[in-house]
Amino acid sequence: MWKSNPFTIVKKSRITYLHQAKITLNVMPNRIALAIYLFLFMLSATSNYAQMAEESAVDQLFAQWSNTYSPGCAVAVIKDGNIIYKKGYGMADLEHDIPIRPESVFYIGSVSKQFVAACMLLLDEQGKIDLDADVRTYIPEFPDYGYPITIRNLIHHTSGVRDNLTLWELAGRSHLDEIPEEEIFDMICRQKELNFEPGTKYLYSNSCYFLMSIIVKRASGKSLREYADEYIFQPLGMQHSIFQDNNRRMIKNRAFAYGQNPDGSFNSMLMRFDLVGSGGLYSTVEDLFRWDQNFYNNKIGNRGPAFIQDMLTNGRYKDGTEVGYAFALENGHYKGLPTVSHGGALGGYRSFYLRFPEQHFSVVILSNLENFLPEKLAEQVADIYLKDNFVAAPSTAIVKKELPTFITLKPKQLDAVSGLYWNEEGAYSRKVYVRNDTLRYSRGEGNESALLPIDAQHFIMDDTNGEVAIHFQKAEKNQPAQMLFTVGNQEAIISTQYEPYTLDEKALKAIPGHYYSSELDTRYQLGVKEKQLFVKIKNQDWLPLKPIKSDLFTQERIGQFYLDFDKNGNATGFRLQAGRVRNLLFTRL
C-alpha cells in the first residue's frame, strides 16, 4: 500500500512516485502491471504539468518585480496543510543587493492586530482580564467620557476612541520617526471627546490596539513582545516573528522598505517606528503559514476549537446588530466562497493575508514597496488555484432589469437641479451639471456619469442597470435642496446643495492667524497667499485650503476645517474633521 497520497505532487517528484510504483508493480502480472504503470505515469505527468502551469501563472503576476533593481514581495501559497508554492520577487535591500527570499522578514502592519486580539482571548482564558470590563479597570488614567468602553469595543473598533496615528500626523509628526510610547499614550489621554458613543458605530482606530498592548503588560506583567512569544510564537514554531518594541534591536534577514519616485527610481523609507499593538510585528510568509494552520488545529491556549471560533466571531453593536469585524479578522466572500482576511500598511510596507477556510487554501503576500497592492494580487493568485471552486452566479448572462421609461426634460428643468452638493458624513463634494442636453454627475475630473430622467426630480445613473437612483429634493423653508443617492435597496446617501464660495477681502482678513489645539499640543497657522487661504503645520510646507462655504474649507491631506466666527465676523477657532479623528478643536491665539 502507498504510505502517502501518490497523486500529491508537492513534496516528492514524479520520478520518486514512479519508482515507488515500479517496486509495487514488480509483484503483479506483467500486462496488468504495465497498464497501471502507464496510467500512473500519465496521471503524474498531467499533475506535474498542471502544477507547473499554476506556478508559471503566479510568476507572471509578479513578473514586474522579478528583478535586481526593484523592491518586491515574498509570496506563499498554502493548500491542505502545505506550502505548495513560495518565492521572493525583487530586492530586500537595494543598497547591499540582497534579494527577497521566502525567509525574508517584513513588517506586516495591521496584520499584527489578530495576534493582539489572540492575546486578549488568552488573557481572558487565564482569568487575567474580562473582555466585557471597562478599559479603565486596567488603565485607570484613561479619560472617563461618561460611557463605559470595554475591551470588546477596542477589539471590534466600536470604541469611538480617536486614532493615534492620525493624531500624530495632525500634530506635524511622521510615523516613520520613533514614537515614544509614553508620548503617544499621553496624546490619547488628552483627547476631550470620542468620535461617537461606544458601541453605536464602527470606525477603525489604531489607538484601540495600542491600548490593548498596555493592557497586556499590566494584566500579565509581560510586554506584548514577551507575552506573544511565550503563548503564541513558541508553541507554533514561529521562530522569526517578533513584536519589535525596540527599534535598536537587530532583525536578521529584514527586508527594508522603499517608496517610488515619479521618475521610477526608489527612495529609502527607513522606519524607526516601534510602537506595538496596532502593528509592530515582523514576520515571514513561512511563519504566517504556521499561524494559518493553527486555524484548523489550534495549539495555543487550552480551549481547542472554541478559541478559533471566538477569533472568527464578529462583534456586535449595543443594539445587538452585527459588526463586520471579528478579532482583527474580516469575514467575507470572494467569488461565492467564504474568506477570512486582513491587510496591513505602514511606511513602505504592505501585507495581505487571505484564507479560504472551506478549501483549506490561503495566500500570504508581504511587500516592501509603498505602492504595492497585495490584496488585489492575493485574489489573483486565488483565481489561478481555485478557478474550479468558485461559485457561479445564478446566471452568467447580464440580467437586464425592466427600466422605467425615460423622458426628455427642458434645459430649464435640468438647470433647476444642477449645482454643487456636499456630503457631510463622507466629507466630499459632487458636481451636477448639464452637458450636451444631458445631466452629468461628476465625482472629479474624468470621473462622471450621465443621469437619465424619469421625471424632473428622479434620475437613473446610466450603465448601472437601474441600481443607482438619484432623487433631487427642492429647497424648503428650513431645509436647503438635497440630493439623495441610492444604490439598490440600501439607505439613501444625502448630500446638501451649496453655492460656490469665493473668499472676499473681509474673509481674507478675518481668518488668518495662529490656532492651537490642546489635545494635539500643536499650533496651526492659517495665512493668505495670492488671495487664497493656506495652512501650515509647524515647519511643514504651506498647503492650500479649498473653500466650500464661508465657514467650511477642505485640505485633501489633512481634512475639513469648520470655522467659528464672533459677532464681528472674526474667526475664533475651528473644528477639524480628519477621517479617523473627528471634531478636534482649535482655538485662535
Side-chain angles (χ1 to χ4, degrees):
M1 295 292 292
W2 294 95
K3 293 185 178 179
S4 58
N5 185 354
F7 307 126
T8 303
I9 316 297
V10 175
K11 296 294 186 182
K12 298 179 180 180
S13 70
R14 177 166 54 91
I15 294 173
T16 300
Y17 279 120
L18 293 175
H19 178 69
Q20 291 178 344
K22 192 172 183 179
I23 293 172
T24 304
L25 296 173
N26 281 337
V27 300
M28 294 184 178
N30 289 341
R31 282 184 294 177
I32 298 175
L34 179 61
I36 294 176
Y37 183 75
L38 289 173
F39 171 75
L40 289 173
F41 179 87
M42 289 187 291
L43 184 63
S44 176
T46 301
S47 299
N48 199 40
Y49 176 80
Q51 180 188 1
M52 291 172 62
E54 290 168 342
E55 293 176 0
S56 177
V58 174
D59 271 342
Q60 286 298 312
L61 281 180
F62 297 93
Q64 71 182 91
W65 300 284
S66 185
N67 56 60
T68 59
Y69 55 82
S70 165
C73 68
V75 180
V77 182
I78 303 162
K79 184 75 171 78
D80 295 330
N82 293 295
I83 297 179
I84 60 173
Y85 186 72
K86 61 181 179 180
K87 191 170 181 179
Y89 298 90
M91 305 300 286
D93 186 339
L94 289 172
E95 293 183 56
H96 299 94
D97 295 326
I98 300 173
I100 293 174
R101 302 181 180 89
E103 59 267 26
S104 296
V105 180
F106 292 79
Y107 183 90
I108 67 171
S110 290
V111 177
S112 310
K113 286 183 170 70
Q114 58 200 272
F115 296 92
V116 181
C119 288
M120 293 292 104
L121 281 175
L122 290 170
L123 286 169
D124 182 64
E125 177 186 318
Q126 295 162 0
K128 295 179 179 179
I129 65 169
D130 178 354
L131 298 180
D132 296 305
D134 193 321
V135 170
R136 298 181 75 245
T137 305
Y138 311 100
I139 311 177
E141 63 269 45
F142 189 75
D144 182 356
Y145 294 106
Y147 304 99
I149 299 174
T150 67
I151 293 176
R152 287 191 195 274
N153 290 143
L154 299 182
I155 290 169
H156 303 301
H157 296 296
T158 59
S159 69
V161 177
R162 290 168 171 168
D163 181 76
N164 59 350
L165 296 186
T166 304
L167 291 169
W168 191 256
E169 296 280 346
L170 291 174
R173 311 289 287 275
S174 171
H175 60 258
L176 294 178
D177 298 335
E178 182 174 7
I179 304 178
E181 182 180 291
E182 298 80 6
E183 193 171 345
I184 200 76
F185 179 67
D186 288 345
M187 180 178 282
I188 293 171
C189 291
R190 280 202 306 272
Q191 303 309 299
K192 296 181 174 65
E193 297 181 28
L194 297 171
N195 285 328
F196 50 80
E197 179 184 340
T200 62
K201 296 181 181 180
Y202 168 93
L203 185 61
Y204 196 92
S205 174
N206 287 290
S207 293
C208 296
Y209 279 75
F210 168 76
L211 290 171
M212 282 189 274
S213 75
I214 303 295
I215 292 173
V216 169
K217 187 182 299 183
R218 296 189 180 184
S220 71
K222 302 176 186 291
S223 67
L224 177 61
R225 172 179 57 80
E226 294 167 331
Y227 187 86
D229 186 63
E230 180 176 347
Y231 291 101
I232 299 176
F233 302 147
Q234 287 188 29
L236 298 184
M238 299 173 65
Q239 298 179 5
H240 305 289
S241 298
I242 182 173
F243 273 106
Q244 175 70 319
D245 55 9
N246 178 357
N247 59 34
R248 291 158 181 79
R249 183 183 292 110
M250 300 290 290
I251 297 179
K252 289 186 177 182
N253 297 321
R254 184 194 323 216
F256 292 95
Y258 300 88
Q260 190 162 17
N261 300 312
D263 64 1
S265 62
F266 301 99
N267 58 281
S268 173
M269 296 187 72
L270 187 64
M271 197 166 69
R272 305 298 295 174
F273 183 91
D274 58 6
L275 283 181
V276 295
S278 59
L281 184 62
Y282 283 79
S283 190
T284 69
V285 295
E286 295 173 326
D287 269 12
L288 292 175
F289 155 70
R290 295 175 175 86
W291 170 251
D292 172 82
Q293 291 305 294
N294 194 62
F295 284 100
Y296 304 104
N297 181 24
N298 179 39
K299 297 178 181 177
I300 61 177
N302 298 311
R303 296 194 300 126
F307 175 90
I308 299 302
Q309 185 59 44
D310 283 348
M311 284 287 296
L312 299 174
T313 300
N314 284 341
R316 293 199 174 274
Y317 294 110
K318 289 177 68 173
D319 64 5
T321 57
E322 192 172 276
V323 181
Y325 195 86
F327 278 65
L329 292 165
E330 295 182 275
N331 295 301
H333 287 83
Y334 180 69
K335 295 188 176 180
L337 302 181
T339 61
V340 178
S341 65
H342 207 288
L346 190 71
Y349 292 102
R350 298 293 182 268
S351 59
F352 198 73
Y353 167 59
L354 174 63
R355 185 167 72 92
F356 292 80
E358 293 180 0
Q359 287 69 40
H360 285 215
F361 178 88
S362 300
V363 183
V364 182
I365 301 179
L366 306 179
S367 173
N368 62 337
L369 180 57
E370 183 184 24
N371 59 4
F372 200 85
L373 301 174
E375 179 174 358
K376 180 181 178 181
L377 286 160
E379 291 173 346
Q380 290 175 321
V381 171
D383 289 341
I384 294 169
Y385 287 91
L386 299 181
K387 59 182 181 295
D388 296 329
N389 298 85
F390 293 131
V391 179
S395 173
T396 55
I398 297 175
V399 179
K400 286 285 185 181
K401 286 188 175 182
E402 186 175 341
L403 297 177
T405 301
F406 298 118
I407 64 173
T408 300
L409 296 178
K410 297 177 180 179
K412 185 177 180 180
Q413 293 174 300
L414 296 177
D415 290 338
V417 296
S418 298
L420 296 171
Y421 293 85
W422 176 256
N423 182 271
E424 191 70 26
E425 181 68 21
Y428 59 79
S429 177
R430 293 291 183 259
K431 181 181 179 181
V432 177
Y433 74 103
V434 180
R435 191 181 77 194
N436 298 331
D437 298 324
T438 301
L439 200 65
R440 311 287 297 183
Y441 176 94
S442 176
R443 306 166 191 83
E445 188 175 351
N447 185 8
E448 60 181 45
S449 303
L451 300 181
L452 309 178
I454 301 171
D455 58 42
Q457 274 75 49
H458 293 83
F459 295 75
I460 296 294
M461 186 171 287
D462 194 16
D463 296 328
T464 65
N465 197 27
E467 285 296 313
V468 178
I470 293 181
H471 174 208
F472 295 96
Q473 290 184 342
K474 295 180 180 180
E476 298 178 357
K477 185 176 181 180
N478 298 317
Q479 177 67 57
Q482 292 184 325
M483 176 176 66
L484 281 65
F485 184 102
T486 307
V487 179
N489 296 320
Q490 297 179 18
E491 185 177 351
I493 300 171
I494 302 174
S495 300
T496 302
Q497 189 175 33
Y498 68 94
E499 293 298 323
Y501 175 72
T502 303
L503 282 164
D504 56 21
E505 290 297 328
K506 182 179 179 182
L508 291 173
K509 292 179 181 178
I511 297 175
H514 291 270
Y515 297 78
Y516 176 74
S517 167
S518 61
E519 295 169 284
L520 293 181
D521 190 21
T522 299
R523 183 182 298 190
Y524 280 25
Q525 184 179 354
L526 301 186
V528 175
K529 182 181 179 182
E530 298 179 354
K531 295 186 178 181
Q532 184 175 0
L533 200 62
F534 285 77
V535 61
K536 183 179 177 66
I537 306 174
K538 294 186 176 178
N539 61 348
Q540 297 181 6
D541 295 335
W542 287 93
L543 298 173
L545 287 167
K546 177 184 177 182
I548 301 296
K549 308 175 187 177
S550 61
D551 61 348
L552 172 58
F553 294 77
T554 68
Q555 211 302 308
E556 60 181 13
R557 284 173 50 185
I558 301 175
Q560 294 73 50
F561 294 69
Y562 290 82
L563 276 77
D564 294 317
F565 296 88
D566 62 20
K567 61 182 180 180
N568 298 317
N570 294 312
T572 58
F574 62 83
R575 287 189 176 271
L576 182 62
Q577 309 287 0
R580 296 172 181 174
V581 171
R582 300 178 179 177
N583 219 31
L584 191 64
L585 178 63
F586 283 76
T587 304
R588 188 171 188 171
L589 298 177

